[in-house]
Amino acid sequence: MPPKIRFSKDDVVLAAYEVTRQKGLEAVNARSVAAQIGCSTQPLFREFSCMEDIKKEVFLHARDCFDKMTADEIKKEENTLKAQGRVYLTLAKNEPNLFRMLFMRKRNEECANFAITRACQRAAEYGQIMNVEADEASDTYINFWMFIHGMATMLATGYLTISDEMVEEVLDNLSTSRRLAFPKS
C-alpha cells in the first residue's frame, strides 16, 4: 500500500508563496519549499512536474491575492484609482518580495497579459467615470501609474521609506492634481 499523501498541491503553493514573501522568488527551490512544509522534496513533485510549475502557481496565487485586496479596497474608497494606488503602494511597502515578483521582473507572456489587460480595463473604466474620450482617459491613467509605479519601486527596493500617512497624502495630491483630476465614482 502506498504511503498516504500528507501534502496537497495547495500546501505546496502556499509554502512556496511564503518562501517568496520572506526571501523572494529567487529563493524558491525544492529544498526551501520542502523545508517550509516540513517534508522531503519528493512530495512536491507528486503534484508538479518541475519547479517552474510551482513558481507559476505562486505567481497566480499572488495575483489573485492582489486582485482581492484591490477589489476590497475599491469597495471602501470612492475614488477607484486612489484605491488601486493605495493597494499597489501598500503591497510595495509591506510585501516587497511579492511586489517585485508581480511587477518588477522580466515579464513572460502570462505576466505581460495580466498587466496589459488590467491597464486597458482600468483606463476604460476611468474614461466611463470621467465621461472622457478613450485617449484622454488612457493618457491620464498612464501618467498616474507611471508616478505610482516609480514610487512603489522605490518602496519595494528600500530606496524610499514613507509612512502610511505620506502614502495617503501622495494619493490625495495626485487625485486632486489638475492633470490627474479624478471624479468620485
Side-chain angles (χ1 to χ4, degrees):
M1 182 177 229
K4 183 178 177 183
I5 297 174
R6 295 182 3 199
F7 306 103
S8 69
K9 181 177 180 178
D10 288 341
D11 293 330
V12 173
V13 171
L14 292 176
Y17 176 82
E18 191 57 34
V19 170
T20 302
R21 280 187 70 239
Q22 293 173 11
K23 299 177 184 173
L25 189 61
E26 60 280 353
V28 174
N29 57 52
R31 285 192 176 128
S32 65
V33 175
Q36 182 70 30
I37 295 174
C39 68
S40 70
T41 58
Q42 187 179 8
L44 307 180
F45 299 106
R46 286 190 187 119
E47 295 290 338
F48 296 96
S49 60
C50 63
M51 285 307 300
E52 280 308 306
D53 290 346
I54 294 172
K55 289 179 179 183
K56 187 182 292 186
E57 289 296 318
V58 169
F59 171 82
L60 295 173
H61 180 73
R63 182 197 66 188
D64 292 346
C65 290
F66 178 77
D67 285 343
K68 183 179 181 332
M69 289 186 306
T70 302
D72 290 347
E73 191 65 28
I74 287 172
K75 289 176 188 173
K76 296 186 281 185
E77 172 66 53
E78 292 180 40
N79 184 317
T80 59
L81 280 179
K82 185 176 174 183
Q84 293 167 43
R86 183 180 298 118
V87 171
Y88 200 76
L89 292 172
T90 300
L91 182 70
K93 180 180 173 191
N94 297 337
E95 297 289 351
N97 290 322
L98 294 177
F99 181 84
R100 284 192 290 268
M101 177 188 62
L102 287 172
F103 303 110
M104 289 181 63
R105 63 188 177 112
K106 185 175 181 182
R107 301 217 183 253
N108 58 27
E109 185 176 336
E110 181 178 4
C111 200
N113 289 340
F114 159 66
I116 291 167
T117 300
R118 171 164 288 114
C120 291
Q121 290 170 342
R122 300 292 192 224
E125 291 168 8
Y126 172 73
Q128 289 175 344
I129 292 167
M130 284 295 292
N131 195 24
V132 296
E133 295 296 320
D135 287 347
E136 183 181 344
S138 180
D139 287 348
T140 301
Y141 186 82
I142 288 168
N143 288 336
F144 176 83
W145 281 105
M146 283 192 300
F147 183 88
I148 293 297
H149 181 71
M151 186 173 170
T153 298
M154 289 188 286
L155 288 168
T157 59
Y159 184 79
L160 176 67
T161 304
I162 62 173
S163 66
D164 291 342
E165 292 78 20
M166 180 62 100
V167 167
E168 285 304 309
E169 187 176 325
V170 167
L171 290 169
D172 286 340
N173 288 339
L174 278 175
S175 66
T176 57
S177 131
R178 182 178 172 104
R179 175 76 175 127
L180 298 172
F182 303 119
K184 298 197 185 243
S185 40

